[in-house]
Amino acid sequence: MSSMLVEVSIESVGEWKERVRRLFYPAYEARMLKALPKDRLPAHIGVMLDGNRRWARTVGQSTAQGHRAGAANIEPLLEWCDEVGVEVVTLWLLSTDNLNRPAPELEALLTIITDAIETLAEQQRWRLHPVGALDLLPAPIAIRIKEAVQSTIDVDGMLVNIAVPYGGRREIADAVRSLLHEHAERGTSLEELAEVIDVEHIAEHLYTKGQRDPDLVIRTSGEQRLGGFLLWQSAQSEFYFCEAYWPDFRKVDFLRAIRAYTQRERRYGA
């Protein structure tokens, strides 16, 4: 009997906390948003959506359900970014290393990611841009992603980079390869290229060419490492690490990350 009372008590406390959040957090978030200095907001945010599997284990759900919960949190994030006035968001949805996961898990993950991308495209609110090596994906999946992205090409909204599958080292290697091919077609010798090549030449061949580098990179799940995300572009980025697993990442967590960014003094190595 006593154990049952403890369980009921714990459940009641949890429900009470949730009611308190629903009652007070909207007002708290509104105050946070209003207090953000408009002249210090990030224009480009990179987000590492990490912790779906660990979240699933914590709540007793399957890995696939964890990925679905993570996918469901993407649209709210983009809405928060719109509200703040962010111009570019880069979402790391799948790494090249993730392609080594067991076939059943990978197949389900690819389907969930592709469904999520198509859902975003159908809304015609954001302009989607692929950032990754789509040639590594199964052809039907790659085709679906390309068609979804193409359908948003004329959308006048926030630019959303979809990093699938993405690896920072792979991107740099692809950029160098593209640069070499370009100059080979021009008839430039390796010796001539070695004399003139600089940072900007490589930057012009990155997946994000023509875009500004991220001002802020957010990683959820408590991990404090890049893991290969935007290795080249994040050289001068600010980083914010959040303990919450991605499916539990809330608007208040996002606003705290933005607030932390606005309070930092960016020195750019000076």
Side-chain angles (χ1 to χ4, degrees):
M1 177 68 70
S2 61
S3 63
M4 291 178 61
L5 290 175
V6 170
E7 290 178 4
V8 172
S9 176
I10 292 174
E11 183 177 355
S12 299
V13 169
E15 292 176 349
W16 178 79
K17 288 183 176 179
E18 182 59 29
R19 285 199 296 270
V20 169
R21 290 193 189 99
R22 291 177 180 175
L23 181 62
F24 293 106
Y25 266 49
Y28 175 50
E29 293 164 355
R31 288 197 301 273
M32 289 182 67
L33 182 62
K34 186 176 181 180
L36 293 174
K38 300 299 186 287
D39 60 337
R40 295 179 62 85
L41 297 174
H44 182 176
I45 298 177
V47 187
M48 306 169 71
L49 289 61
D50 194 22
N52 292 337
R53 293 194 296 180
R54 279 169 285 171
W55 178 87
R57 288 195 294 268
T58 299
V59 300
Q61 301 288 345
S62 69
T63 296
Q65 288 170 315
H67 291 311
R68 291 191 188 96
N73 207 25
I74 294 174
E75 184 177 335
L77 170 70
L78 297 182
E79 292 174 345
W80 305 334
C81 289
D82 266 338
E83 192 173 8
V84 170
V86 175
E87 299 172 9
V88 183
V89 180
T90 299
L91 304 174
W92 198 10
L93 303 183
L94 184 77
S95 73
T96 50
D97 290 338
N98 292 155
L99 297 177
N100 296 320
R101 289 184 178 180
E105 179 186 348
L106 179 60
E107 182 177 350
L109 177 56
L110 289 175
T111 298
I112 292 168
I113 288 174
T114 307
D115 288 346
I117 293 172
E118 290 177 336
T119 298
L120 294 178
E122 288 169 1
Q123 297 185 47
Q124 294 291 289
R125 297 169 62 187
W126 303 292
R127 182 160 51 93
L128 307 184
H129 175 70
V131 176
L134 292 179
D135 57 297
L136 298 180
L137 298 177
I141 293 293
I143 291 172
R144 288 177 59 188
I145 293 175
K146 290 177 182 177
E147 290 178 346
V149 167
Q150 183 63 28
S151 71
T152 69
I153 194 169
D154 294 322
V155 173
D156 183 20
M158 183 172 61
L159 176 62
V160 180
N161 291 320
I162 304 296
V164 178
Y166 178 85
R169 291 179 175 177
R170 168 88 186 210
E171 179 182 21
I172 295 171
D174 283 349
V176 173
R177 186 178 301 110
S178 174
L179 175 65
L180 292 174
H181 281 310
E182 177 186 287
H183 282 271
E185 292 174 358
R186 295 180 184 176
T188 308
S189 69
L190 288 178
E191 291 77 10
E192 291 170 330
L193 180 57
E195 289 294 325
V196 299
I197 190 171
D198 60 17
V199 170
E200 292 306 317
H201 284 105
I202 295 176
E204 291 169 359
H205 292 266
L206 295 172
Y207 301 149
T208 58
K209 61 185 177 182
Q211 301 179 20
R212 64 180 293 153
D213 291 337
D215 302 294
L216 172 66
V217 174
I218 300 172
R219 180 166 189 166
T220 59
S221 86
E223 298 289 348
Q224 298 190 26
R225 53 189 170 82
L226 273 179
F229 184 52
L230 300 178
L231 291 177
W232 183 282
Q233 298 91 330
S234 64
Q236 300 290 346
S237 302
E238 297 293 327
F239 298 93
Y240 184 88
F241 301 103
C242 178
E243 291 295 323
Y245 294 137
W246 170 246
D248 283 336
F249 188 75
R250 305 160 298 170
K251 183 177 182 179
V252 68
D253 298 312
F254 172 76
L255 292 175
R256 285 169 178 163
I258 301 299
R259 182 177 63 186
Y261 170 84
T262 65
Q263 294 172 343
R264 297 179 187 178
E265 181 181 353
R266 305 190 72 189
R267 298 183 180 87
Y268 300 98

